[in-house]
Amino acid sequence: MSAFYTGLRKRVVLLSSLLIVLTWIASSLATRTGIEQASDEQLAQRAQAVAWLMLRAASQTDEPVTGDALIRQLEQIGDSLGETMAYEFGRASDDQAMRSSSFPELSNEAANGFSRHSDDGGDWRVFTAMSEDQSSWSRVAFTPTEPKPLTEMLLLTLQQPLVWAITLLGLLAIAIQNRCFTPLKKVEDALANQDLLNPRPLALDPARLPRDVRPLVTQLDRILDQTKNLLEEQRTFAYGVGHELRTPLAGCLSQVQVAQRIEDPSRLKQSLAKAERALLQMTQLVDQLLLLARTDPSAPLENPSRITLSALVQESIERRTVTAQREGVVLKWRVDGPHDSEIEAKPELVRTLLTNLIDNAIRYSPRGGEILTRVDCSDDRWLVLSVSDQGSGIDAKESNQIFSPFYQSETGKSSGLGLAIVRAIVKAHGGDVSAHRRPMLGTEIRVVLPRA
C-alpha cells in the first residue's frame, strides 16, 4: 500500500508539474505570437503611412534629391526608434529609383498594397504606394520576423507576472495534493497496523474524511469484517472437523485395543464390528467434506440435466423409510400445484440434498413424530421444496446459523455438515434455502429452486 501511495503521489505531482510547464510554454508562445502579430501589424500600418507620405512629399517637387533626402531622414528616424525599415522612391521617367542600401532587389513593376519577397537578406514585407497618374511610386520594406525591442519589452513585461502566477499555481497544486492525499495516508497507516489473523475496522471517523474517500473506507471496513467472519468460520470448521473425527477415532482405537486382548471369537467379532462402524462414520464424514469442497456455489453447473423433482423426492423417501421406522418416525410426502416439477440440475447433488434434509428431520423428530416432504408447483417460475418435522423447533436467531458447518446450537447439538452441504447445493443451482419455526411445533427447511 505504501509503494502504491508513494507511486500515485509521484505520478500526480509529475503530471501536475508537466501540465504547469506546458501551460507556461503555451501561454508564452501565444503571448509572443500575439505581440509579434500586433507589432507586425503596427509596422505595416506605419509603413503604409510612410509610403504615402513619401509619395506626397516627393510629388510636390520635381527635384530628385528631395526624395533621396527624404529617404535618409526616414532612415535616421527609424534608427532612433530602433526599427529597421528600407525605403524606395522612383519615377517612371527615371531609369533608376532611389532606395536605401538595405532595400531588397525588386522589379520596378509594382501595384498598390502589400506583397512579400525573399532574397539573401531574408523575407521581406513590402508596401507599395502608386501616384494617381502612375508616374511615381514609393515603397517601404521591413522584415516581420526580425526581433524588435518593443516586442521583447512587451514580452518581458507580460511574462514576469505570468511566471509568478504559474509559480503560485504550482505551489497551490502541491498544497492541494498534500491535502487530498492525507486521507489516503491515514487509510494506508490504518491498514498497515492490521493483524491479518484478527482484522478489525479501520477506526477512521467518516465525518472527518472527504466525501469521496468515505465509500472507500466503508467498503474496506466491510471487507475486513467479512474477512474476520471468514476466519472465525474457518476456526469453527477446523474445530468441528476435529471434534467429529475424534469420537469415532477414539471408539475405533478402543475397540482395536480390546480386540488385541480378548481371545473369545464372538467378543472379537463384536469389537471388530464396532471398529468398522466407527471407520464407516469417519468415511462418511470425509465424503461429506469432499462433497462440500467440490460444490462451489459461485461456479456454474457442469452438464446439468432436466429432472423431475417429485420423482427424486419419492425415491429418497423410499430409501430412508427403513431408517425412519427404526427411529419411530413416519415419512410422508405430497405434490401441490398445477404445474410440473421439472428442474435443470445434477441428479446426484439433488439426491444428496434430499437425503440430508430428511436425515436432519429424522434426527430432531421425537418418536411417533411425522415428517412431511412437500413439493409446491403453484408458481410458474419457482419450485418450493419443504421438509417439516415435529421436533422442538428452532429459535429465530439461529435460523441462518444452522447452515454453517458444525454450528453448535444452544442445546449443545452440532449441526454437522448436512445443512451446510444443502446450502452449497442449493446456491450452486441458483436457488435459496431458509429455516422457519412452524406455528405449532417443529422446524421447516424451505428450498426454492428455479424451474427448468
Side-chain angles (χ1 to χ4, degrees):
M1 179 68 181
S2 178
F4 168 78
Y5 166 77
T6 305
L8 178 61
R9 186 173 183 177
K10 286 182 178 179
R11 286 194 293 270
V12 172
V13 171
L14 180 61
L15 289 175
S16 300
S17 302
L18 181 61
L19 180 61
I20 290 174
V21 170
L22 292 176
T23 302
W24 180 81
I25 293 175
S27 301
S28 299
L29 292 177
T31 303
R32 186 180 185 89
T33 302
I35 292 176
E36 288 183 347
Q37 289 178 351
S39 179
D40 289 344
E41 186 63 29
Q42 186 179 21
L43 284 174
Q45 294 176 0
R46 193 175 302 168
Q48 183 177 2
V50 169
W52 285 111
L53 286 173
M54 286 176 58
L55 187 64
R56 179 173 296 181
S59 64
Q60 295 177 358
T61 177
D62 293 334
E63 296 295 331
V65 69
T66 303
D68 193 12
L70 181 59
I71 289 175
R72 288 196 299 271
Q73 291 177 3
L74 289 174
E75 286 179 341
Q76 292 175 358
I77 294 174
D79 292 340
S80 65
L81 294 176
E83 297 175 349
T84 302
M85 287 189 178
Y87 310 93
E88 181 188 72
F89 176 79
R91 289 191 176 93
S93 59
D94 297 335
D95 295 334
Q96 188 173 3
M98 295 169 290
R99 60 171 63 94
S100 303
S101 59
S102 60
F103 196 87
E105 291 294 335
L106 303 176
S107 63
N108 290 338
E109 296 180 2
N112 280 327
F114 285 100
S115 60
R116 293 185 180 273
H117 303 275
S118 298
D119 60 7
D120 296 338
D123 295 330
W124 294 85
R125 191 176 182 190
V126 181
F127 181 80
T128 302
M130 299 287 296
S131 62
E132 294 181 359
D133 58 0
Q134 306 292 316
S135 62
S136 59
W137 74 87
S138 64
R139 289 173 173 170
V140 178
F142 61 94
T143 54
T145 58
E146 181 182 354
K148 307 168 185 66
L150 179 61
T151 300
E152 299 297 335
M153 183 182 67
L154 288 174
L155 280 174
L156 183 62
T157 303
L158 292 177
Q159 284 182 346
Q160 281 182 349
L162 181 62
V163 170
W164 283 108
I166 290 179
T167 303
L168 292 176
L169 179 61
L171 295 175
L172 180 61
I174 293 175
I176 292 175
Q177 289 167 10
N178 289 334
R179 183 174 180 83
C180 292
F181 279 106
T182 298
L184 292 181
K185 187 65 170 63
K186 292 181 180 179
V187 174
E188 177 197 12
D189 294 339
L191 287 175
N193 294 327
Q194 286 288 324
D195 182 2
L196 295 180
L197 298 179
N198 186 26
R200 60 190 185 279
L202 296 179
L204 296 175
D205 185 7
R208 303 184 64 180
L209 295 173
R211 184 175 301 175
D212 294 337
V213 181
R214 294 175 190 172
L216 172 64
V217 175
T218 301
Q219 292 299 322
L220 287 175
D221 283 340
R222 183 180 63 83
I223 293 173
L224 290 171
D225 185 62
Q226 291 177 346
T227 303
K228 181 178 181 180
N229 294 336
L230 180 60
L231 290 173
E232 291 178 352
E233 289 180 1
Q234 288 180 344
R235 295 189 189 101
T236 303
F237 183 81
Y239 174 81
V241 171
H243 180 75
E244 293 289 330
L245 287 174
R246 182 179 180 180
T247 301
L249 275 173
C252 182
L253 178 61
S254 174
Q255 295 302 321
V256 170
Q257 290 173 345
V258 170
Q260 289 175 342
R261 293 194 299 267
I262 61 177
E263 297 180 357
D264 185 1
S266 60
R267 291 182 59 192
L268 178 60
K269 186 176 181 179
Q270 291 176 358
S271 295
L272 292 176
K274 292 179 180 179
E276 183 184 14
R277 285 197 296 271
L279 289 173
L280 289 175
Q281 185 178 352
M282 287 187 289
T283 301
Q284 183 181 9
L285 178 60
V286 171
D287 291 339
Q288 289 181 331
L289 288 171
L290 292 175
L291 177 61
L292 184 61
R294 288 196 304 266
T295 307
D296 186 0
S298 61
L301 289 175
E302 295 182 0
N303 302 320
S305 57
R306 185 183 291 265
I307 61 175
T308 302
L309 182 59
S310 58
L312 289 183
V313 169
Q314 182 180 7
E315 176 188 319
S316 299
I317 292 292
E318 292 173 353
R319 285 193 292 108
R320 307 309 295 168
T321 298
V322 175
T323 302
Q325 290 175 349
R326 187 169 57 245
E327 299 295 330
V329 178
V330 177
L331 299 182
K332 293 184 177 181
W333 72 284
R334 75 167 190 259
V335 178
D336 297 330
H339 303 290
D340 58 55
S341 60
E342 290 188 345
I343 58 174
E344 288 283 341
K346 301 201 66 146
E348 63 275 13
L349 292 181
V350 177
R351 289 190 181 95
T352 302
L353 179 148
L354 290 168
T355 299
N356 287 359
L357 288 177
I358 296 172
D359 285 347
N360 183 77
I362 293 174
R363 181 181 181 186
Y364 289 97
S365 292
R367 296 189 69 84
E370 180 178 292
I371 296 174
L372 174 62
T373 301
R374 176 172 171 262
V375 180
D376 185 356
C377 306
S378 58
D379 192 270
D380 58 354
R381 295 181 56 194
W382 302 92
L383 287 178
V384 180
L385 169 69
S386 61
V387 178
S388 306
D389 60 48
Q390 294 179 339
S392 58
I394 184 175
D395 292 337
K397 61 183 180 180
E398 294 182 325
S399 59
N400 290 326
Q401 296 171 328
I402 62 172
F403 295 101
S404 300
F406 305 113
Y407 170 70
Q408 197 79 18
S409 66
E410 294 181 355
T411 60
K413 292 185 178 181
S414 172
S415 62
L417 288 174
L419 293 182
I421 293 174
V422 167
R423 181 178 63 177
I425 293 174
V426 172
K427 294 294 184 181
H429 286 80
D432 194 19
V433 59
S434 57
H436 307 271
R437 186 181 182 92
R438 299 179 66 190
M440 298 299 294
L441 190 65
T443 301
E444 179 186 71
I445 305 296
R446 190 178 303 161
V447 174
V448 180
L449 295 172
R451 285 183 170 276

